[in-house]
Amino acid sequence: MKIISYNVNGIRSVINKGFVNWINKNNPDIICLQEIKAYSNQINTSIFDHIGYNHYWHSSKRKGYSGVGILTKEKPINIKYGIDIDIIDKEGRILRIDLKNSKISVISVYIPSGSYIKNRLEFKFFFMDKFFSHIKKINKKIKNLIICGDYNICHNDIDIYNPNEKISGFLPDERIWIDNFIYKLSFIDSFRNYTKSGGHYSWWNYRYNCRNNNKGWRIDYIMVSKFLKKRMKNSYMLSNIKYSDHCPIVLEID
């Protein structure tokens, strides 16, 4: 079973670049999307029907902003939009599906960037706190949980080409949050489970020729519940796929 997570930085943009043909060729079972930047009625969703996917979208109320989606071959028995906190849910950042046959639940999450605006950094930490509490709560019921997405945080020095603890995305408190997510909530950073070396990034600034020079950040993760560890087979990045300023990350499980 192949699960892909990808911040597409505009679903309509990547569709125009041939994204659907790429999906059809690679044939993943599930694709979690972030930053779709569209309402569902602005997307030609029939193209996903045509290649065999059920599709679900949680868009931001703000036009052309944020939003997440999930494409899945297996039809879910349950779909959960958001976490019932309006200030978070109106930005369309969290979507979960529960799959009976595959015996997993999958979340697509897009954590705010924090940027350089003070109130957005405050919102990022508010979001992180509420999301952490939400996962802690549902962990009691849902053991086989996979959380895919753009976390907008580099965990360790090897995850960022130029470590700077004064910028959002690599602040000490953000990195501690990732520590706690892994160790207190019992999740596995799937990519790091298989690759220990540095120089592997999932996002590159469009400016300064950063991608060609591999000056990037690893801010996209597929976090896997410890209860699924024996089912994990591999996890890797597809850094050669360039539909977006991010690259897809992949999890393979039984």
Side-chain angles (χ1 to χ4, degrees), residues 199-242:
H200 303 280
Y201 308 121
S202 64
W203 173 78
W204 301 261
N205 194 315
Y206 273 134
R207 296 177 293 175
Y208 314 122
N209 206 26
C210 285
R211 192 156 194 172
N212 287 337
N213 294 319
N214 199 30
K215 294 181 177 180
W217 297 26
R218 189 176 77 94
I219 56 176
D220 300 88
Y221 300 81
I222 299 180
M223 295 287 191
V224 181
S225 168
K226 67 176 183 180
F227 298 102
L228 289 168
K229 186 172 183 179
K230 291 182 179 179
R231 289 176 62 181
M232 291 172 61
K233 292 300 177 185
N234 201 4
S235 182
Y236 48 91
M237 297 185 194
L238 300 174
S239 57
N240 61 319
I241 302 302
K242 299 180 179 179

Side-chain angles (χ1 to χ4, degrees), residues 7 16-17 46 52 61 65 70 76 78 88 91 106 110 140 144-145 148 151 153 167 185 189 200 209 212 240:
N7 180 318
N16 290 337
K17 296 174 184 176
S46 64
K61 290 184 179 180
Y65 179 74
I70 299 179
N78 181 54
I88 288 175
E91 293 198 1
V106 179
Y110 178 38
K140 297 175 182 178
N144 293 348
L145 185 59
C148 304
Y151 286 57
I153 302 169
I167 59 175
L185 297 183
D189 177 350
H200 303 280
N209 206 26
N212 287 337
N240 61 319

Side-chain angles (χ1 to χ4, degrees), residues 116-128:
Y116 295 99
I117 304 170
K118 184 181 179 183
N119 64 344
R120 289 307 293 177
L121 184 57
E122 290 174 354
F123 179 72
K124 181 178 185 178
F125 277 103
F126 172 80
F127 182 101
M128 288 158 54

